[in-house]
């Protein structure tokens, strides 16, 4: 109850919502409706590009790292797709994967060769590619996941009572009305890596909740 509004990743948003009765998803970026993770590999490894999910089996026995343990795009969804391909965490070299702590760290660890492969947020990969932090002679994308819902704004359910009637709707409309035609609003959208915000709802994250329970991140 200490915060009225928070920008969450998919999994952390579900975890928070389950702890705060009545809280609700009010908006997400246009890119969060169809978000992706990318699996990357060091070019000196023997790993090749992957054409379908079953080929993720090629990562068995490799030095592999996720990002943060509670990251949707850096851990939850990549683990879900690995499991679908029959790859368990114990199948990586050393019988366990690494957890780098962040998408940027995953990228640098794979690029340096500390890990042969890893998974991270596609948006982080693209922004690092654009800024020149990625050396394409050292690291490359081997597979992009199917899409899923990710980041969102989560609001407490009592804001109309706390502030005034209709406040939650006003708050939602603030995000939905952010427009690239306004210089200042365009800057806000650029910082979020989005062109606009769109409506969202709790139900969009049912799959994230289900997977979170399956892998033990939600109890």
């Amino acid at each position: 109850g200490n915060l009225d509004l928070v920008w969450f990743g998919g999994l952390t948003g579900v975890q928070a919502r389950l702890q705060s009765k009545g809280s609700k998803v009010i908006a997400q970026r246009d890119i969060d409706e169809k978000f992706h993770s990318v699996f990357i590999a060091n070019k000196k490894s023997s790993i090749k590009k992957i054409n379908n999910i079953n080929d993720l089996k090629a990562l068995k026995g490799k030095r592999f790292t996720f990002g943060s343990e509670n990251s949707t795009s850096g851990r939850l969804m990549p683990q879900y797709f690995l499991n679908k391909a029959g790859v368990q965490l114990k199948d990586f070299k050393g019988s366990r994967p690494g957890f780098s702590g962040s998408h940027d760290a995953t990228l640098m660890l794979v690029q340096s060769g500390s890990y042969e492969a890893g998974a991270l947020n596609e948006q982080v990969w693209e922004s690092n590619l654009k800024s020149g932090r990625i050396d394409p002679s050292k690291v490359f994308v081997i597979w992009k996941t199917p899409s899923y819902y990710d980041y969102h704004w989560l609001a407490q359910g009592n804001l109309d009572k706390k502030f005034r009637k209709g406040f939650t709707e006003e708050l939602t409309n603030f995000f939905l009305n952010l427009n690239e035609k306004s210089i200042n609003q365009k800057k806000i959208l650029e910082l979020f890596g989005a062109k606009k915000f769109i409506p969202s709802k709790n139900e969009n994250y049912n799959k994230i909740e289900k997977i979170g329970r399956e892998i033990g991140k939600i109890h």
Side-chain angles (χ1 to χ4, degrees):
N2 291 342
L3 297 166
D4 295 319
L5 178 73
V6 182
W7 176 246
F8 276 121
L11 174 61
T12 45
V14 171
Q15 289 170 327
R17 180 157 49 83
L18 292 171
Q19 292 176 60
S20 185
K21 197 178 175 185
S23 58
K24 56 183 174 181
V25 177
I26 60 169
Q28 62 188 160
R29 301 170 301 181
D30 48 358
I31 60 174
D32 292 313
E33 194 173 29
K34 289 184 177 174
F35 208 80
H36 303 91
S37 298
V38 289
F39 281 70
I40 60 171
N42 186 281
K43 288 220 168 166
K44 285 184 180 174
S45 71
S46 59
I47 303 165
K48 304 281 190 292
K49 277 219 169 200
I50 287 170
N51 296 316
N52 65 67
I53 191 168
N54 291 326
D55 292 342
L56 287 171
K57 287 186 179 73
L59 297 174
K60 285 186 177 184
K62 303 295 184 188
R63 297 190 316 277
F64 183 90
T65 185
F66 293 111
S68 161
E69 290 202 37
N70 287 318
S71 171
T72 308
S73 53
R75 190 271 172 90
L76 181 89
M77 295 310 291
Q79 184 176 338
Y80 167 71
F81 292 117
L82 283 161
N83 289 351
K84 278 188 84 170
V87 183
Q88 304 300 319
L89 300 190
K90 63 180 173 53
D91 293 330
F92 295 118
K93 191 163 189 177
S95 300
R96 61 193 173 95
F99 288 99
S100 71
S102 75
H103 301 294
D104 286 309
T106 296
L107 178 52
M108 291 303 124
L109 286 166
V110 175
Q111 181 162 283
S112 71
S114 298
Y115 284 91
E116 291 167 281
L120 70 151
N121 172 325
E122 183 188 29
Q123 191 191 23
V124 173
W125 169 266
E126 294 292 345
S127 64
N128 276 283
L129 198 58
K130 202 173 173 182
S131 69
R133 287 189 76 216
I134 291 172
D135 184 345
S137 70
K138 292 180 179 175
V139 63
F140 69 115
V141 171
I142 55 170
W143 188 63
K144 182 164 91 167
T145 68
S147 66
Y148 53 86
Y149 286 98
D150 201 347
Y151 297 87
H152 55 276
W153 284 108
L154 184 69
Q156 292 284 7
N158 64 348
L159 299 187
D160 284 19
K161 203 176 194 176
K162 188 173 179 179
F163 296 107
R164 61 180 174 277
K165 193 179 175 185
F167 182 82
T168 306
E169 190 179 349
E170 284 177 39
L171 186 61
T172 305
N173 288 334
F174 167 78
F175 290 114
L176 302 185
N177 292 330
L178 286 172
N179 194 311
E180 283 192 301
K181 289 175 183 172
S182 156
I183 293 170
N184 287 338
Q185 290 178 17
K186 187 179 181 183
K187 281 180 188 171
I188 293 170
L189 289 167
E190 282 174 353
L191 287 167
F192 276 93
K195 291 191 179 300
K196 63 179 179 177
F197 281 91
I198 60 173
S200 192
K201 57 188 178 181
N202 293 6
E203 291 72 27
N204 287 344
Y205 295 87
N206 287 350
K207 185 177 180 181
I208 298 280
E209 181 178 345
K210 183 173 178 283
I211 296 166
R213 291 187 188 281
E214 281 172 9
I215 71 169
K217 297 310 294 181
I218 297 171
H219 302 287

